[in-house]
Amino acid sequence: MGIRFLVEPQKRGKLHRNLYLPLIANVCNQESKPDNKAEKPVQTGQDFPICPPSHRKKGGKARTHSFPAAPRADPTQNQGENTMKRIVSFVMAVGMALSLAACGGAASTSTSAPAASSAAAADSGEILIGCLQDITGNTSGLGLSVQKGAQAAVDEINANGGINGKKIVMNTYDTKGDVTEAVNSYITAVTVDQVSLIVGPPVANIANAIKETSEGYDVPVVGLAMDPACQTKSEGVPYKNMFALQPSATTQGDIMAAFAVKNGYKTFGILYNQENAYSVSLLAPFVDRLAEENITVDNSMIVAYGAADTDYKTLLLPLVNANVDAIYCPNYTQQLVAIETAATELGYKGKIITGLDGAPGFNTTYGGDCSNIYYINNINTEDETIAAKIAEIQNDVSAPNKYFLGYDIVMAAADCVAKVGTDYTALHDALENLSYEGVTGKITIDPTTHMPTGMSMYMYTYDNQTPVMLEQFAG
């Protein structure tokens, strides 16, 4: 049976479309996109500010730590070559879009039906949105969970009359966990299908890949990328279309460190993926909060790895030999399972503190005793309504927290559309001033960062395989 979480969006407002295509000059001025190739291992001992200005508390000064840092390319090299590549990429993308349009198709993958177009949706009195997720790649467990939650919200809204009498149609675009595929899918969504809004991914690397391209279009991307750099430019102003509806990595890293200190842990090791924006973004806030509590993590206890590094026993060995109280591992589920397995085989008896991806289904994927895991979560599983929904979807959804986040994105966006319609300027302004009570909490967007303020998070552990909620933290 279905569970209805929230009242349907308010039925008022006028619908209108207003999309623009960018000039090639806009593409020429974009920064280079991150690629999806593994970087070479880096050396330790390089000083760099772990908390960029846009991530620091107001009035704070940059602090430097000798973390293992990825090498940075000289931005002055190969500028002409990079510009030409961007021009060629843009022309190819436009050519692809025009070819697909001529054939009546789109480079999108829908889990239910062929991709719709804005014109067709408008003719049938519908509102077209996109859902840009990893459906078949390495992070498909996360992407599919977001997509299913978003679709549940679409179905609920439509079952209750739609938005101002108009049904929502959602096209799903498969990024395959690849940044190039993500950019191509994004361009298809906004140029060929001309969606009004995109449900964005929970993966920071993908959000980072599309953020510059999104500047040339008038389509909001409402996603879940925790890395503030996905939403905010280096000069401190937000990317106009990039929004996140969950607390930032700055907030989440701070909460996890505060929780660890509060529970008596004093010595820490850190294992993080230097090639993953999500993992890197959670590093500085955790270390900074420990520093505020007069706890310093020695550089020898901070271990960086990349995609090519899969010998987790060797990576963990110095931390295990040091007998640290806890190891901080902000990584994706597959890596966490391998890390937990290696730590257990090494005989580690301390706690492992993870990010969101230590939440279910980490436990079922790992399959063993997870009692030494601490993780942060967006949802309170002790809430009866949430618990009942989790029981309903448990055989179909691998990451319940992502399901509820996807649900909240569509419901919050639909609330905005109900009030102001799909005119870009009006919808953008409504999202910048969003205040919405969702399943995952009260979502209040800061227009200067395009991220929420004051959202609660929850710290959990496991009793063997069973999640146990320990404490709620206000944002």
Side-chain angles (χ1 to χ4, degrees):
M1 65 176 180
I3 294 179
R4 191 164 189 274
F5 291 105
L6 305 170
V7 296
E8 62 185 291
Q10 194 172 357
K11 294 184 177 181
R12 54 188 168 87
K14 186 178 180 181
L15 302 176
H16 181 64
R17 300 285 305 135
N18 185 20
L19 296 171
Y20 299 93
L21 297 179
L23 299 175
I24 289 180
N26 290 341
V27 179
C28 297
N29 291 328
Q30 291 175 6
E31 296 176 4
S32 297
K33 310 296 186 299
D35 60 38
N36 57 337
K37 297 179 180 178
E39 297 178 10
K40 296 180 180 178
V42 301
Q43 302 299 316
T44 61
Q46 179 178 351
D47 289 338
F48 70 103
I50 65 171
C51 194
S54 60
H55 302 191
R56 289 183 224 125
K57 296 177 182 178
K58 291 184 178 179
K61 296 181 179 180
R63 299 191 301 106
T64 61
H65 297 269
S66 297
F67 288 166
R72 299 178 180 271
D74 183 350
T76 64
Q77 293 181 357
N78 301 323
Q79 286 183 338
E81 180 182 350
N82 291 336
T83 299
M84 182 58 67
K85 285 181 179 179
R86 288 194 291 272
I87 294 173
V88 171
S89 297
F90 178 77
V91 172
M92 289 177 67
V94 172
M96 176 189 70
L98 292 175
S99 297
L100 288 166
C103 295
S108 62
T109 300
S110 173
T111 58
S112 58
S117 70
S118 180
D123 290 343
S124 59
E126 296 169 335
I127 299 169
L128 181 63
I129 66 173
C131 188
L132 187 70
Q133 305 296 331
D134 179 0
I135 303 300
T136 60
N138 290 333
T139 56
S140 59
L142 308 180
L144 282 166
S145 297
V146 173
Q147 192 272 340
K148 289 173 181 177
Q151 188 62 54
V154 168
D155 294 343
E156 180 179 316
I157 292 167
N158 288 343
N160 287 277
I163 301 176
N164 302 323
K166 292 181 179 288
K167 298 295 181 72
I168 303 175
V169 175
M170 187 174 79
N171 286 353
T172 295
Y173 304 86
D174 184 6
T175 70
K176 303 176 183 176
D178 180 89
V179 294
T180 302
E181 191 75 30
V183 172
N184 290 339
S185 295
Y186 171 83
I187 292 172
T188 297
V190 300
T191 60
V192 178
D193 297 338
Q194 297 187 351
V195 298
S196 298
L197 175 140
I198 289 177
V199 178
V203 180
N205 281 3
I206 299 299
N208 271 320
I210 67 172
K211 65 186 182 183
E212 297 290 346
T213 302
S214 74
E215 290 284 276
Y217 300 88
D218 287 344
V219 181
V221 179
V222 187
L224 299 165
M226 291 164 39
D227 183 359
C230 295
Q231 281 71 232
T232 308
K233 300 178 183 180
S234 58
E235 58 267 32
V237 299
Y239 289 95
K240 70 174 188 177
N241 290 318
M242 301 297 291
F243 295 85
L245 297 198
Q246 72 166 324
S248 70
T250 305
T251 296
Q252 295 192 34
D254 183 89
I255 288 173
M256 287 186 279
F259 172 83
V261 173
K262 183 177 180 179
N263 283 274
Y265 300 103
K266 298 182 180 187
T267 59
F268 296 86
I270 296 174
L271 179 64
Y272 77 102
N273 185 344
Q274 65 183 348
E275 296 171 6
N276 182 279
Y278 160 77
S279 187
V280 172
S281 69
L282 283 164
L283 175 62
F286 188 87
V287 174
D288 281 350
R289 181 54 186 260
L290 291 183
E292 290 178 11
E293 303 289 343
N294 297 315
I295 295 175
T296 300
V297 183
D298 189 83
N299 289 334
S300 65
M301 293 292 98
I302 300 174
V303 179
Y305 72 95
D309 302 314
T310 57
D311 184 358
Y312 293 107
K313 280 188 178 180
T314 299
L315 293 169
L316 284 166
L317 194 59
L319 310 183
V320 173
N321 286 343
N323 197 29
V324 293
D325 294 336
I327 298 175
Y328 180 53
C329 298
N331 297 284
Y332 287 151
T333 303
Q334 290 178 328
Q335 287 75 38
L336 286 176
V337 168
I339 289 167
E340 170 71 351
T341 300
T344 300
E345 291 175 353
L346 287 170
Y348 179 62
K349 302 299 183 184
K351 292 291 186 179
I352 293 181
I353 305 170
T354 77
L356 289 168
D357 294 314
F362 164 83
N363 54 336
T364 54
T365 303
Y366 176 60
D369 187 353
C370 301
S371 302
N372 69 325
I373 296 291
Y374 285 136
Y375 65 92
I376 196 167
N377 206 353
N378 310 90
I379 55 176
N380 178 6
T381 55
E382 295 183 356
D383 179 277
E384 291 182 1
T385 304
I386 290 176
K389 189 65 179 179
I390 290 174
E392 178 188 332
I393 65 176
Q394 63 182 351
N395 293 328
D396 191 46
V397 173
S398 62
N401 60 338
K402 300 297 187 292
Y403 176 95
F404 293 110
L405 289 164
Y407 177 92
D408 272 356
I409 288 175
V410 170
M411 295 301 286
D415 186 66
C416 292
V417 172
K419 293 173 181 176
V420 303
T422 56
D423 171 75
Y424 171 72
T425 301
L427 181 57
H428 176 272
D429 290 348
L431 288 168
E432 278 202 329
N433 295 283
L434 177 67
S435 181
Y436 185 82
E437 188 69 49
V439 179
T440 57
K442 180 66 176 291
I443 305 169
T444 303
I445 293 296
D446 181 348
T448 67
T449 64
H450 286 189
M451 300 194 80
T453 59
M455 283 189 79
S456 293
M457 298 290 289
Y458 304 86
M459 288 300 301
Y460 282 77
T461 188
Y462 290 100
D463 179 3
N464 197 337
Q465 281 271 307
T466 304
V468 178
M469 202 268 278
L470 299 173
E471 187 172 359
Q472 177 179 357
F473 283 79

